[in-house]
């Protein structure tokens, strides 16, 4: 590896690190890689030689030796970390002693946002700049164009931007799906919410599949044709597209692979973090919460097998006719669109609240814009969300954009039909029904919280406010048992 020759260093040459490193190099940069596993370092260098052959200015090298790697970088050095969230601190422990004043470390993993804030402070004590950057798009995105959400030390952005921007995905209008998000943990906060929305959308799609497969007993090819048709209209998006592919994937013996996959969903934690952050900020994100819970519930595999034999529900044949009477599968398309819009709305509302609380200085419109391409939740609906922020940059909850609100209003009948019919058929729709309840709660001028306030005051003298008078009130509630 040549001394002080490389524009950027990538630390961690696993799937994401190697692919993003090659992507950045392929835009005409010299990228050095480091991984303590020599086999990974060699594989990265080898891929560089074949995949970047003939690309002007593109060059890669790799080492399993940290001194050689750091020495190979031009100063001030730019290092991009792509290691699992639980080893970021130990990676920093080994790197920091080798770095010098003004060097920049970008953490491109799925780190928790409070950790990114701590790391920025820690590195600043050494005169180093830290950027916490969400990266979305999986392996394919990393290699050919992910959506990237950098935040943290803004002083470092100008140096890093020309390296990262060309590697980002482009939206249909040609704009790059990367933008400075804001200060502190803003980049990783936004990526966390992206993943929370991802959980919500995936669960909504899974519920639609469940109604079609279990409720209406449709074959995978027939279900696929619905997803394909929906994907050609307003539901066009990455998750709908991959679902159509998954439905017809065959196993080695020709059977449908999907039917043989154990129905217990795993999670790495970013969805749960979103729910925790929303609870801490008192922002309702019920569809994301329901999706997190649904994954947990699916994992109670043995209990469910037991329940399927012992707990009563409607007869499958009754359920099927209830679903058809309700106009399914047709109504599902509109139900999904409404519920998906409501999920994005919950996530954006959370981001707006975090910005107000933590002073990130972010713009929700920018977030919606850079999610239009490259990331897992990219979808045509994000064009509508983005347009809503163009109309009103201060919009806190996209449901209150007149056009989006009107659209959900047009679709709410479908959402009701789908939720009611699935309930009648005994098919759980935790995400879709929570989206409907969220919508109905936000259009209710009066909710039964008056009763909750009265109950709190009854048993705990917690006081309540009145509609007709200012102040705080407590009542000596008459005990029926005493009268
Ligand atoms: C992305 C994905 C990516 C990863 C998820 C999976 O945006 O590219 O979100 O970050 O696939 O973290 O998360 P779970 O394992 O929790 O489903």
């Amino acid at each position: 590896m040549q001394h002080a020759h490389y524009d950027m260093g990538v630390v961690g040459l696993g799937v994401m690190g190697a692919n993003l490193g090659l992507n950045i190099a392929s835009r005409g940069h010299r990228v050095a890689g480091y991984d303590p596993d020599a086999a990974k370092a060699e594989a990265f260098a080898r891929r560089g030689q074949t995949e970047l052959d003939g690309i002007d200015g593109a060059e890669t090298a790799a080492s399993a030796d940290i001194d050689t790697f750091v020495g190979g970088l031009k100063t001030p050095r730019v290092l991009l970390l792509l290691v699992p969230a639980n080893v970021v601190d130990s990676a920093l422990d080994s790197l920091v002693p080798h770095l010098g004043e003004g060097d920049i470390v970008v953490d491109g993993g799925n780190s928790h946002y409070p950790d990114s804030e701590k790391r920025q402070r820690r590195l600043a004590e050494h005169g180093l700049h830290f950027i916490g950057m969400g990266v979305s798009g999986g392996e394919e995105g990393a290699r050919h164009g992910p959506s990237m959400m950098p935040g943290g030390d803004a002083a470092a952005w100008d140096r890093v931007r020309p390296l990262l921007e060309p590697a980002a995905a482009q939206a249909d209008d040609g704009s790059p799906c990367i933008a400075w998000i804001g200060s502190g943990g803003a980049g990783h906060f936004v990526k966390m919410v992206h993943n929370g929305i991802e959980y919500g959308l995936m669960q909504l799609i899974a519920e639609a599949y469940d109604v079609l497969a279990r409720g209406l007993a449709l074959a995978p090819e027939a279900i696929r044709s619905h997803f394909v048709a929906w994907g050609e209209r307003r539901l066009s998006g990455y998750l709908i597209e991959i679902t159509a592919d998954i439905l017809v994937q065959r196993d080695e013996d020709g059977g449908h692979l999907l039917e043989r996959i154990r129905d217990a969903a795993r999670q790495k934690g970013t969805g749960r973090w979103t729910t925790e952050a929303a609870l801490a900020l008192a922002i309702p994100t019920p569809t994301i919460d329901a999706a997190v819970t649904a994954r947990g519930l699916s994992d109670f595999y043995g209990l469910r097998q037991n329940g399927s034999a012992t707990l009563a529900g409607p007869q499958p044949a009754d359920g099927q006719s209830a679903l058809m009477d309700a106009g399914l599968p047709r109504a599902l398309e509109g139900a999904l669109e409404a519920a998906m819009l409501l999920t994005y709305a919950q996530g954006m509302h959370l981001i707006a609240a975090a910005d107000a609380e933590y002073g990130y200085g972010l713009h929700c419109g920018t977030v919606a814009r850079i999610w239009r391409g490259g990331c897992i939740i990219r979808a045509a609906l994000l064009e509508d969300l983005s347009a809503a922020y163009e109309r009103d940059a201060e919009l806190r909850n996209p449901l209150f954009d007149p056009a989006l609100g009107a659209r959900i209003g047009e679709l709410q009948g479908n959402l009701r039909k789908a939720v009611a019919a699935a309930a009648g058929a005994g098919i759980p729709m935790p995400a879709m029904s929570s989206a409907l309840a969220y919508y109905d709660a936000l259009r209710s001028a009066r909710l039964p919280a008056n009763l909750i306030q009265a109950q709190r005051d009854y048993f705990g003298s917690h006081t309540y406010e009145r509609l007709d008078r200012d102040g705080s009130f407590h009542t000596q509630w008459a005990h029926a048992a005493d009268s």
Side-chain angles (χ1 to χ4, degrees):
M1 188 180 286
Q2 294 183 52
H3 190 73
H5 176 75
Y6 297 90
D7 304 313
M8 177 183 244
V10 176
V11 176
L13 299 172
V15 172
M16 292 301 285
N19 282 297
L20 192 51
L22 287 166
N23 177 4
I24 294 166
S26 74
R27 318 294 165 160
H29 298 296
R30 297 168 177 169
V31 175
Y34 164 75
D35 199 295
D37 178 345
K40 283 190 183 153
E42 275 160 34
F44 176 72
R46 248 196 332 272
R47 277 186 69 189
Q49 275 156 18
T50 50
E51 292 179 33
L52 304 175
D53 191 30
I55 301 177
D56 246 17
E59 193 180 325
T60 56
S63 175
D65 176 65
I66 206 160
D67 273 321
T68 311
F69 164 70
V70 175
L73 303 176
K74 288 182 194 161
T75 54
R77 302 177 184 90
V78 178
L79 292 98
L80 173 60
L81 243 67
L82 280 150
V83 298
N86 59 352
V87 303
V88 173
D89 282 320
S90 55
L92 291 175
D93 289 343
S94 8
L95 281 170
V96 167
H98 298 267
L99 302 181
E101 181 88 23
D103 287 353
I104 299 164
V105 177
V106 183
D107 172 16
N110 267 334
S111 292
H112 200 196
Y113 70 97
D115 292 335
S116 301
E117 282 164 21
K118 279 188 220 133
R119 287 167 189 152
Q120 187 182 335
R121 287 196 293 273
R122 174 184 161 192
L123 263 62
E125 286 165 16
H126 298 269
L128 304 171
H129 303 287
F130 182 83
I131 292 177
M133 180 171 78
V135 177
S136 178
E139 179 176 352
E140 188 67 17
R143 180 65 182 86
H144 300 289
S147 173
M148 293 186 268
M149 296 146 248
D153 188 345
W157 178 230
D158 283 348
R159 167 93 174 87
V160 171
R161 185 177 180 167
L163 293 165
L164 294 179
E165 202 170 84
Q170 289 187 351
D172 285 348
D173 64 5
S175 62
C177 293
I178 181 171
W180 185 250
I181 299 292
S183 62
H188 278 131
F189 191 95
V190 164
K191 175 60 179 25
M192 173 191 77
V193 178
H194 165 284
N195 282 29
I197 296 171
E198 175 184 300
Y199 274 49
L201 303 184
M202 289 167 75
Q203 177 64 26
L204 289 167
I205 291 172
E207 290 172 12
Y209 155 71
D210 202 12
V211 163
L212 297 173
R214 182 153 60 125
L216 291 171
L218 296 188
E221 285 73 16
I223 302 176
R224 177 182 188 272
S225 59
H226 287 295
F227 277 95
V228 169
W230 297 344
E232 283 164 359
R233 298 190 283 259
R234 291 184 47 84
L235 286 179
S236 160
Y238 178 71
L239 287 169
I240 294 280
E241 195 182 299
I242 65 167
T243 303
D245 290 345
I246 289 167
L247 277 158
V248 289
Q249 178 77 38
R250 300 285 177 161
D251 207 352
E252 288 135 3
D253 64 358
H256 284 107
L257 178 59
L258 182 58
E259 285 165 13
R260 297 176 183 174
I261 296 180
R262 196 168 185 268
D263 48 317
R266 303 278 179 251
Q267 49 191 315
K268 293 208 193 80
T270 43
R272 196 193 71 230
W273 292 345
T274 309
T275 286
E276 287 168 354
L279 290 173
L281 288 163
I283 297 299
T285 54
T287 310
I288 295 170
D289 310 344
V292 175
T293 301
R295 284 201 192 186
L297 210 153
S298 74
D299 206 19
F300 281 90
Y301 195 79
L303 208 61
R304 290 193 288 113
Q305 307 314 308
N306 183 351
S308 77
T310 57
L311 304 174
Q315 292 300 322
D318 296 344
Q320 197 165 334
S321 52
L323 292 168
M324 296 207 305
D325 289 349
L328 269 61
R330 249 190 101 230
L332 265 182
E333 183 179 8
L336 260 184
E337 184 185 337
M340 285 182 165
L341 280 170
L342 289 161
T343 309
Y344 285 114
Q346 293 167 24
M348 296 313 287
H349 190 191
L350 175 58
I351 290 172
D355 180 47
E357 180 69 21
Y358 307 131
Y360 289 147
L362 62 72
H363 300 285
C364 288
T366 303
V367 173
R369 203 162 41 73
I370 65 167
W371 283 351
R372 290 177 305 159
C375 68
I376 303 296
I377 63 170
R378 64 183 185 264
L381 294 178
L382 276 162
E383 295 288 349
D384 299 343
L385 259 107
S386 196
Y389 286 103
E390 268 167 39
R391 289 189 282 274
D392 176 6
E394 302 304 316
L395 187 64
R396 285 178 67 79
N397 184 332
L399 175 56
F400 292 91
D401 169 71
L404 284 179
R407 178 71 190 149
I408 297 171
E410 281 165 24
L411 297 169
Q412 50 98 26
N414 289 316
L415 188 52
R416 269 177 226 295
K417 275 188 202 159
V419 169
I427 294 175
M429 275 201 160
M432 216 173 263
S433 54
S434 74
L436 177 59
Y438 174 77
Y439 176 74
D440 279 337
L442 284 176
R443 53 166 213 91
S444 294
R446 183 112 173 116
L447 283 170
N450 52 336
L451 179 57
I452 291 176
Q453 283 297 76
Q455 290 166 334
R456 292 176 68 244
D457 191 60
Y458 187 117
F459 61 67
S461 302
H462 292 297
T463 74
Y464 55 90
E465 294 86 45
R466 297 181 59 114
L467 291 170
D468 54 351
R469 290 181 229 160
D470 288 340
S472 210
F473 297 87
H474 168 60
T475 293
Q476 276 309 115
W477 297 89
H479 293 218
D482 302 340
S483 55

